[in-house]
Amino acid sequence: MTPTERRTSSALALIFSLRMLGLFLVLPVFALYADQLSGVTPTLVGVAIGVYGLTQAILQIPFGMLSDRFGRKPVIGLGLLIFAAGSAVAAVSTSIYGVIFGRALQGAGAIAGPVMALASDLTREEQRTKAMAMIGMSIGLSFAIAIIAAPTIEHWIGVPGMFWLIGALAIVGMGVLFTVVPTPAKTEPRDILPSEHDVYQNKKLRQINLGILCLHTILTANWVVVPLELNVYLPRPDHGLVYLPVVLLSIAAMIPLLTRVRKPKQQMPILLGSIALLGLAETLLIPATGINLWAIGIVLFLFFTAFNLLEALLPSLVSTHAPIEAKGAAMGMYSTSQFLGAFLGGALGGWIHEHVGIPGVFVMGSVVAGFWFLSVLKPEYSNKD
């Protein structure tokens, strides 16, 4: 990569990670904090955790198309401003419904597609996979930092204070966007072209989008109940003592495999292996939560290894298969699927927790992973046309 490509990719990954950090930061603590809110039920806790995904899913494609028409940076800046407003609403809310509204407003700042499209605009074709991998890795890194730091931060400033902090991170992201990221060459506004319609008919992209939906369904559902299980063994501020070694070890385990992601022949085995590992972790969480803290930690290590690999691989596959002239729409569709998965995971996880119990959430995760694994065996995931 050229120095400009490295700076651009790093800055966009930082913007993306700051925003995702804001969305993830409440996951490890909200289920435990929610009892202080009026009107709370386990199902509504799940909705509050995942509702940002619903508004993201609704608005990702429109934001992507707006960025194709009016420019990436203005649309990204607007999205970050909306996100900050939603954080403020959640911070001052004393009922579960107020927090749900604030989280939904956070999600309305749907910038994921435009950010990845901007990365495509500012990098050469042969370097684009690296840029997408950096952004994809930023999601996993943001989640890792969030679950490690959240219990301590919540102990210091409380969950309302965390929402104020999240809003401040969005403002920092705006500063990085307009001072560090270059502006692409201007293009004339245009109507939607047939190639953008082709994005929605592309079987390979549909399969990739199904994959990111499954991954974030599992992720969000897990964190409706995992903090509750850890609370059986550790006080809330000490949960980071489990998350820290688990995440660091999972990163070390995934690095050797990550270096092979750029090789087309290695992508399919790594993809299938990661999905299988994800399903194994979900299955093992069913009995592990009733054994001891060590068992939970070992299984979470397997989960994070698979999750981080998949977050790095899937965006690069989108970049490979999306039409050059419609990457904003393609990235918008990918991000729509990602955040729809977050909403489904939160809502279903909360409902299953309330009506079936915690083990039922992990059963759902293993079923979703198994369905995803079988879908990847179809030829649409092949790199050959």
Side-chain angles (χ1 to χ4, degrees):
M1 300 180 97
T2 65
T4 299
E5 286 174 327
R6 284 196 296 270
R7 183 178 75 251
T8 298
S9 300
S10 299
L12 290 175
L14 176 61
I15 293 168
F16 207 91
S17 64
L18 286 174
R19 181 176 168 283
M20 295 308 297
L21 180 64
L23 291 171
F24 289 147
L25 200 58
V26 299
L27 291 187
V29 296
F30 187 77
L32 300 170
Y33 160 79
D35 285 343
Q36 302 176 32
L37 300 171
S38 62
V40 70
T41 68
T43 299
L44 290 177
V45 169
V47 171
I49 288 174
V51 70
Y52 74 90
L54 179 61
T55 46
Q56 288 277 348
I58 293 170
L59 293 173
Q60 278 299 332
I61 292 175
F63 264 63
M65 290 182 172
L66 285 173
S67 76
D68 284 336
R69 185 174 180 86
F70 297 111
R72 315 292 189 203
K73 291 176 73 171
V75 172
I76 294 170
L78 174 64
L80 288 170
L81 192 61
I82 294 171
F83 179 87
S87 302
V89 170
V92 301
S93 297
T94 57
S95 75
I96 189 67
Y97 298 102
V99 174
I100 289 173
F101 176 72
R103 291 282 281 177
L105 192 57
Q106 281 183 322
I111 65 166
V115 167
M116 289 190 283
L118 182 55
S120 295
D121 294 340
L122 296 172
T123 55
R124 292 164 295 161
E125 184 69 33
E126 61 270 24
Q127 300 298 329
R128 202 156 291 150
T129 298
K130 294 180 183 178
M132 293 302 161
M134 289 175 66
I135 294 173
M137 288 175 62
S138 74
I139 300 176
L141 181 61
S142 297
F143 185 71
I145 293 172
I147 65 166
I148 291 169
T152 301
I153 295 175
E154 190 270 340
H155 182 67
W156 289 342
I157 63 176
V159 172
M162 293 174 74
F163 279 120
W164 286 118
L165 175 61
I166 288 166
L169 292 177
I171 302 303
V172 171
M174 292 179 65
V176 174
L177 174 69
F178 291 109
T179 60
V180 180
V181 179
T183 300
K186 292 183 179 179
T187 57
E188 292 297 322
R190 59 184 179 84
D191 294 327
I192 297 174
L193 298 177
S195 60
E196 288 183 346
H197 176 74
D198 293 342
V199 166
Y200 308 106
Q201 302 301 318
N202 188 308
K203 292 182 180 180
K204 294 177 182 178
L205 291 177
R206 288 210 304 263
Q207 286 281 25
I208 296 166
N209 293 334
L210 173 64
I212 195 64
L213 184 147
C214 291
L215 181 61
H216 279 260
T217 296
I218 295 169
L219 171 73
T220 312
N222 278 0
W223 259 259
V224 173
V225 295
V226 165
L228 301 176
E229 282 298 306
L230 287 180
N231 216 45
V232 173
Y233 302 99
L234 285 175
R236 191 187 319 179
D238 293 339
H239 288 192
L241 298 176
V242 175
Y243 296 137
L244 178 60
V246 163
V247 170
L248 292 180
L249 289 172
S250 68
I251 292 173
M254 70 168 241
I255 287 175
L257 292 172
L258 192 60
T259 59
R260 301 182 181 183
V261 166
R262 287 176 293 169
K263 301 176 181 179
K265 291 183 179 179
Q266 296 291 331
Q267 288 180 350
M268 179 61 74
I270 291 174
L271 181 64
L272 285 170
S274 299
I275 299 170
L277 183 61
L278 188 73
L280 175 63
E282 289 298 296
T283 302
L284 292 177
L285 274 170
I286 299 169
T289 54
I291 299 175
N292 56 45
L293 194 60
W294 280 100
I296 296 175
I298 292 170
V299 179
L300 288 179
F301 159 74
L302 299 178
F303 174 85
F304 281 119
T305 301
F307 173 77
N308 289 331
L309 274 169
L310 291 164
E311 282 288 3
L313 177 57
L314 292 175
S316 67
L317 292 176
V318 175
S319 179
T320 298
H321 295 299
I324 294 175
E325 66 273 21
K327 284 191 181 291
M331 295 301 181
M333 185 167 64
Y334 172 84
S335 297
T336 294
S337 303
Q338 175 184 0
F339 291 111
L340 181 59
F343 171 69
L344 290 175
L348 290 174
W351 187 88
I352 292 172
H353 174 214
E354 181 172 355
H355 296 282
V356 179
I358 290 176
V361 177
F362 301 129
V363 171
M364 183 196 76
S366 64
V367 170
V368 171
F371 170 76
W372 182 12
F373 184 90
L374 293 176
S375 76
V376 172
L377 296 178
K378 296 181 178 180
E380 284 84 353
Y381 261 118
S382 172
N383 286 315
K384 297 180 181 180
D385 292 321

